[in-house]
């Protein structure tokens, strides 16, 4: 079996050829780009080819006035590299993952934000983590991705793929929405709620968790449906196989609703149904051997901590 199909691939051989890197970054907060010079200096010493997302490049050069030496600047998904570097928080990582999409390039997340559950390489660990790539002394975790399709009046304009979650949400502040939900063609329930979150195991520690959803370990092969502020206490999150097909239809007093794909929101009319299913590819995330999921869970989220 090839490493691309395995949940975790461990590389150990030495890399000698010139590597190519694509860099994405946070363009809203200057402090979240403070380590870019450290990254560029490291890659320059190893004669790597560096390509930078156009928005990030303009932010660095025009807003921060940083002298950035790169081999190229790209937009959209017009890049061909060996590795992707995300510099920012988990939001930046999700955007980078959506741009990588089916290309399958492994991503390393350098954390410039607060929590950094996906982007878990701290500023002090940059050289250590990039050195591990050159030594091929790392593991690649493959995380499942979901996709959403529309049936009816509207078509989504943005990226349909989500590493974390796809949420159906009300647009107005006055009333909840009705969300008729079917699983593989069978009616599950009609939620009376502010919304419904369909999350991957990766996204179980994000929006779903804040609404009472369970923590799901990576590579569990499941998805989770978590209602947002349900009207009935009898409605609880439910875990389904990852190959289940979820179809939702919405009724709302405003006759429209929001669909949020990893936080990227678009408006839909209630004449539009959504079909959510597993995507045909996975997102590949680079991890050092010392990085363990349950250790990160305890450290980042203080899971199981005794606060007495």
């Amino acid at each position: 079996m090839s490493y691309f199909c395995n949940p975790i691939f461990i590389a150990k051989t030495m890399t000698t050829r010139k590597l190519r890197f694509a860099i994405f970054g946070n363009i809203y907060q200057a402090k979240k780009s403070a380590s870019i010079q450290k990254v560029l200096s490291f890659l320059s010493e190893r004669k790597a080819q560096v390509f930078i997302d156009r928005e990030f490049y303009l932010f660095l050069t025009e807003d921060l006035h940083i002298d950035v030496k790169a081999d190229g600047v790209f937009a959209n998904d017009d890049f061909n590299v060996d590795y992707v570097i995300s510099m920012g928080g988990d939001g930046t990582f999700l955007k980078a993952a959506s741009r990588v999409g089916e290309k399958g390039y492994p991503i390393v997340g350098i954390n410039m934000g607060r929590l950094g559950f996906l982007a878990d390489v701290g500023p002090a660990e940059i050289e250590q983590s990039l050195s591990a790539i050159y030594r091929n002394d790392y593991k690649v975790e493959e995380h499942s991705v979901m996709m959403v399709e529309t049936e009816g009046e509207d078509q989504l304009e943005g990226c349909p793929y989500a590493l974390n979650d796809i949420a159906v949400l009300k647009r107005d502040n006055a009333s909840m929405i009705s969300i008729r939900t079917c699983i593989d063609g069978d009616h599950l329930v009609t939620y009376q709620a502010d919304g419904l979150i369909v999350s991957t195991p990766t996204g179980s520690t994000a929006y779903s968790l804040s609404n009472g959803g369970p923590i799901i370990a990576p590579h569990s092969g499941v998805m989770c449906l978590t209602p947002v502020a349900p009207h009935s206490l009898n409605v609880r999150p439910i875990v389904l196989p990852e190959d289940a097909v979820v179809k939702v239809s919405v009724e709302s007093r405003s006759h429209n609703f929001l669909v949020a794909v990893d936080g990227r929101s678009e408006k839909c009319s209630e004449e539009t149904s959504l079909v959510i299913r597993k995507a045909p590819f996975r997102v590949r995330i680079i991890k050092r051997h010392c990085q363990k999921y349950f250790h990160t869970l305890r450290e980042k989220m203080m899971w199981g901590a005794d606060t007495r």
Side-chain angles (χ1 to χ4, degrees):
M1 180 179 292
S2 68
Y3 71 82
F4 190 78
C5 298
N6 290 333
I8 297 178
F9 166 68
I10 298 177
K12 292 184 178 179
T13 60
M14 180 67 72
T15 293
T16 56
R17 66 184 179 85
K18 184 181 292 187
L19 296 180
R20 297 165 298 168
F21 292 83
I23 300 180
F24 295 85
N26 184 291
I27 61 173
Y28 300 106
Q29 299 181 45
K31 66 178 183 180
K32 292 187 179 180
S33 301
S35 297
I36 183 63
Q37 290 175 314
K38 182 185 293 186
V39 171
L40 293 176
S41 176
F42 180 95
L43 297 179
S44 176
E45 290 174 1
R46 284 149 184 84
K47 303 186 185 306
Q49 289 185 305
V50 176
F51 304 89
I52 303 180
D53 172 54
R54 182 179 299 278
E55 283 190 322
F56 189 43
Y57 179 82
L58 293 176
F59 175 72
L60 294 173
T61 56
E62 297 183 2
D63 292 10
L64 302 187
H65 306 291
I66 296 176
D67 182 18
V68 177
K69 293 181 174 60
D71 294 277
V73 176
F74 63 89
N76 301 319
D77 62 350
D78 186 23
F79 57 97
N80 180 18
V81 294
D82 299 300
Y83 297 93
V84 170
I85 298 175
S86 169
M87 302 193 63
D90 285 351
T92 304
F93 190 99
L94 291 174
K95 291 178 182 178
S98 70
R99 298 273 293 279
V100 171
E102 297 179 77
K103 292 176 181 290
Y105 304 139
I107 309 171
V108 56
I110 297 175
N111 178 29
M112 300 285 114
R114 293 185 298 273
L115 181 61
F117 203 79
L118 291 171
D120 54 3
V121 176
E125 303 168 315
I126 290 175
E127 293 185 356
Q128 177 184 356
S129 296
L130 294 180
S131 293
I133 291 177
Y134 272 87
R135 296 193 309 271
N136 278 342
D137 185 19
Y138 59 88
K139 57 186 177 181
V140 175
E141 292 184 352
E142 297 194 348
H143 290 240
S144 59
V145 177
M146 293 187 305
M147 61 182 294
V148 58
E149 301 168 316
T150 59
E151 293 182 356
E153 188 172 294
D154 299 311
Q155 297 293 322
L156 298 180
E157 296 180 359
C159 176
Y161 301 114
L163 174 60
N164 265 1
D165 48 51
I166 297 170
V168 177
L169 303 167
K170 68 175 186 177
R171 290 195 66 235
D172 55 279
N173 296 322
S175 62
M176 57 192 172
I177 56 179
S178 297
I179 311 167
R180 177 180 170 83
T181 305
C182 295
I183 310 299
D184 295 331
D186 293 330
H187 181 227
L188 173 66
V189 70
T190 298
Y191 295 95
Q192 304 290 331
D194 285 355
L196 177 66
I197 306 163
V198 186
S199 69
T200 65
T202 305
S204 70
T205 51
Y207 192 20
S208 174
L209 182 63
S210 69
N211 282 276
I215 295 175
I216 304 174
H219 319 122
S220 297
V222 298
M223 65 171 67
C224 182
L225 273 59
T226 305
V228 179
H231 185 61
S232 172
L233 293 177
N234 292 330
V235 176
R236 291 289 184 266
I238 182 170
V239 176
L240 303 169
E242 69 174 359
D243 58 357
V245 177
V246 180
K247 183 174 181 179
V248 299
S249 303
V250 177
E251 291 185 3
S252 167
R253 287 185 184 177
S254 62
H255 305 297
N256 52 57
F257 63 95
L258 289 178
V259 54
V261 182
D262 272 352
R264 307 180 299 273
S265 299
E266 294 189 39
K267 182 179 75 171
C268 287
S269 74
E270 65 178 14
E271 302 301 321
T272 302
S273 297
L274 302 178
V275 178
I276 301 170
R277 55 165 53 93
K278 182 176 69 171
F281 64 90
R282 295 177 182 268
V283 168
R284 307 174 66 213
I285 303 177
I286 292 177
K287 299 287 185 181
R288 289 165 295 154
H289 293 296
C290 62
Q291 292 173 301
K292 306 296 183 182
Y293 176 77
F294 295 112
H295 176 268
T296 302
L297 196 65
R298 293 192 304 271
E299 182 182 77
K300 298 284 187 177
M301 308 193 73
M302 297 193 300
W303 188 77
D306 188 345
T307 58
R308 292 175 295 178

